[in-house]
């Protein structure tokens, strides 16, 4: 690779990402309301080891120290989320000024450190009060989201240009409302599709609010788009891929980019009784126009490759796999649910999304890996696998830019080890190691390496 091939465009936003529930702690302090993740984590058996985000990384109190670490890394940008119930404890109505003050200080601190803030408005911690009214299955929650967006952007829109409405609406809808392993822990496919619709609707409705409060705003939504292939040449596996992957991607992206919900998927959902015979009966007049309100970038969260396998495949159709995964050694698979390390998938996903939907720009709003390397006797965290992972994925991103994909930034998940939702503290994604008992932070080798990447705007 020639030196110039290793460089990224000027102004490329090298960043790191976190979310409120995963790092802040202070779950009930200074007037914060309860979120569905507080409720979920406080229900025994929901999170592994019964871990909670009550304290997490105590970032609510240690934000200044954490900004110092970001500054040392040389981050150009930092993606974090606002905890909605910290700002509006009941989801709407009474504003908690102390909560807003926290984000105000954080934003000012970042700007003083020369770091561009990128704010996610909803990274899953819905106010419990709104869940009592049906959560996002109710249209009124989409309205409450617009009110919350107004409150947040009126306070911060003079200094924050980059806004993400929702993080991974498909994960929120399906893992929270079909699989039940995320808050609110429900299991009702029709409800999940209502939730998905109201997430999309609230995204569209909030765009003009953000633009009004933040001239020059760059607005996007972060989708999780892993790479997915049929596991074998069997038509059964192709069908599993078409519908399975489709529900997690096209179901959301098609309406966002001005198409209706995909016809093949609507038919499939009716057949599987996820939808009534009338189909998407929760869509009101004007909804699809609102959902397709143009925004400025698409955020892509990329972690791995997954293979689509039809579970009910008849034996004679059970053909040999055509897709070969890397040999299973500890270098090629993340600890997180055996996620395969598959950098080419990032290139493929970006190329597909650009060809298919033509977003004006992209940010990789999350990409990273879980390995639990901890400090050695000298206190150093030698996470070489994470360095390899990042290097290969940065190279894939660079290749996408070379074929014309307008990729503007790359946010490593995550700035620091944190609470990995249902897995609690058992998964460590950070560039910074955290001792959850003492709150000591240690920059891992990957953090030292990333610092050099950023400083040279290229693949070190
Ligand atoms: C994504 C989430 C993020 C983090 C990573 C590992 O689905 O958006 O909060 O948990 O997975």
């Amino acid at each position: 690779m020639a030196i110039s091939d290793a460089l990224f465009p000027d102004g490329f936003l090298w960043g790191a990402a976190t979310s409120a529930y995963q790092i802040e702690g202070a779950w009930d302090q200074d007037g914060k309301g309860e979120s569905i993740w507080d409720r979920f984590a406080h229900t025994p058996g929901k999170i592994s080891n019964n871990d909670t985000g009550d304290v997490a990384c105590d970032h609510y109190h240690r934000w200044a120290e954490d900004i110092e670490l970001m500054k040392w890394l040389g981050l150009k940008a930092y993606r974090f989320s606002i905890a909605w119930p910290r700002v509006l404890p009941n989801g709407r109505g009474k504003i908690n000024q102390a909560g807003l003050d926290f984000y105000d200080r954080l934003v000012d601190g970042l700007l003083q450190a020369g770091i561009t803030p990128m704010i996610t408005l909803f990274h899953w911690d819905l106010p419990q009060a709104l869940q009592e009214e049906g959560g996002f299955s109710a249209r009124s929650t989409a309205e409450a989201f617009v009110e919350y967006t107004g409150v947040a952007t009126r306070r911060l829109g003079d200094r924050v240009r980059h806004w993400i409405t929702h993080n991974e609406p498909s994960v929120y809808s399906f893992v929270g409302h079909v699989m039940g392993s995320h808050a609110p822990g429900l299991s009702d496919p029709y409800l999940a599709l209502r939730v998905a619709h109201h997430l999309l609707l609230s995204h569209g409705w909030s765009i003009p609010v953000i633009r009004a409060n933040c001239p020059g705003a760059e607005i996007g939504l972060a989708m999780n788009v892993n790479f997915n292939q049929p596991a074998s040449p069997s038509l059964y596996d192709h069908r599993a891929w078409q519908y399975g992957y489709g529900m997690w991607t096209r179901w959301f992206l098609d309406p966002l980019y001005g198409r209706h919900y995909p016809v093949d998927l609507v038919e499939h959902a009716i057949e599987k009784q996820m939808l009534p015979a009338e189909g998407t009966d929760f869509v009101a007049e004007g909804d699809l126009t609102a959902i397709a309100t143009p925004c400025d970038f698409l955020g892509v969260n990329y972690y791995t490759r997954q293979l689509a396998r039809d579970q009910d495949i008849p034996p004679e159709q059970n053909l040999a796999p055509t897709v070969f995964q890397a040999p299973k050694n500890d270098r090629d698979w993340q600890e997180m649910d055996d996620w395969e390390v598959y950098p080419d998938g990032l290139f493929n996903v970006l190329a597909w999304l650009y060809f298919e939907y033509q977003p004006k720009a992209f940010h990789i709003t999350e990409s990273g890996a879980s390995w639990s390397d901890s400090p050695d006797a000298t206190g150093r965290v030698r996470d070489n696998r994470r360095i390899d992972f990042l290097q290969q994925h940065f190279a894939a991103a660079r290749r996408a830019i070379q074929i014309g994909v307008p990729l503007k930034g790359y946010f490593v998940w995550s700035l620091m080890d944190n609470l990995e939702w249902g897995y609690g503290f058992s998964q460590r994604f950070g560039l910074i190691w955290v001792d959850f008992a003492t709150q000591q932070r240690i920059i891992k080798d990957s953090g030292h390496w990333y610092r050099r990447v950023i400083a040279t705007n290229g693949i070190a």
Side-chain angles (χ1 to χ4, degrees), residues 109-295:
L110 288 166
L111 292 172
Q112 267 160 31
I115 301 168
T116 300
M118 176 184 273
I119 293 185
T120 312
L121 285 160
F122 185 61
H123 203 124
W124 307 348
D125 44 356
L126 185 76
Q128 179 65 31
L130 294 177
Q131 189 60 40
E132 309 294 328
E133 301 170 16
F136 264 104
S137 78
R139 243 179 128 80
S140 53
T141 295
E143 289 157 10
F145 178 80
V146 179
E147 180 180 330
Y148 156 57
T149 299
V151 170
T153 54
R154 269 196 299 281
R155 182 71 179 265
L156 303 170
D158 58 336
R159 284 154 292 156
V160 177
R161 265 184 66 219
H162 293 80
W163 294 90
I164 290 177
T165 53
H166 291 297
N167 180 67
E168 300 190 350
S170 53
V171 173
Y172 185 76
S173 305
F174 299 142
V175 184
H177 303 79
V178 180
M179 293 143 81
S181 45
H182 278 181
L186 303 175
S187 183
D188 178 341
Y190 172 69
L191 191 90
L193 294 180
R194 291 182 66 97
V195 167
H197 182 67
H198 296 138
L199 285 170
L200 293 172
L201 190 58
S202 64
H203 158 84
W205 279 348
S206 65
I207 291 172
V209 176
I210 303 174
R211 294 217 191 282
N213 293 326
C214 178
E218 303 264 331
I219 306 170
L221 174 145
M223 277 289 295
N224 63 307
V225 191
N226 285 317
F227 185 55
N228 200 300
Q229 290 175 286
S232 83
S234 157
L235 286 179
Y236 285 78
D237 287 343
H238 273 269
R239 195 177 50 191
W241 173 80
Q242 163 105 353
Y243 295 135
Y245 194 46
M247 288 307 294
W248 285 80
T249 54
R250 290 186 290 124
W251 187 267
F252 296 82
L253 289 161
D254 276 23
L256 281 170
Y257 287 93
R259 310 171 190 176
H260 204 291
Y261 287 107
V263 174
D264 62 322
L265 297 178
V266 172
E267 282 171 2
H268 170 73
I270 294 171
E271 193 188 311
K272 293 282 170 197
Q273 298 183 345
M274 290 175 77
L275 284 176
E278 313 81 86
T280 49
D281 60 351
F282 38 74
V283 178
E285 215 188 313
D287 283 7
L288 287 159
T289 310
I291 290 172
T293 303
C295 61

Side-chain angles (χ1 to χ4, degrees), residues 19 22 123-124 167-168 171 224 301 303 336 339 366 413 420-421 429:
S19 86
Q22 295 178 276
H123 203 124
W124 307 348
N167 180 67
E168 300 190 350
V171 173
N224 63 307
N301 296 355
Y303 288 91
M336 178 75 181
W339 284 355
E366 288 179 25
W413 185 272
E420 179 46 38
W421 307 112
F429 279 90

Side-chain angles (χ1 to χ4, degrees), residues 70-83:
M70 293 183 222
K71 203 167 149 186
W72 189 89
L73 290 170
L75 294 190
K76 303 280 182 212
Y78 172 54
R79 172 183 176 224
F80 63 96
S81 78
I82 295 181

Side-chain angles (χ1 to χ4, degrees), residues 16-42:
T18 63
S19 86
Y21 185 69
Q22 295 178 276
I23 65 163
E24 282 182 3
W27 77 280
D28 62 351
Q29 280 179 35
D30 299 340
K32 177 179 167 292
E34 186 188 17
S35 82
I36 59 171
W37 270 94
D38 296 317
R39 179 67 63 95
F40 192 72
H42 293 155

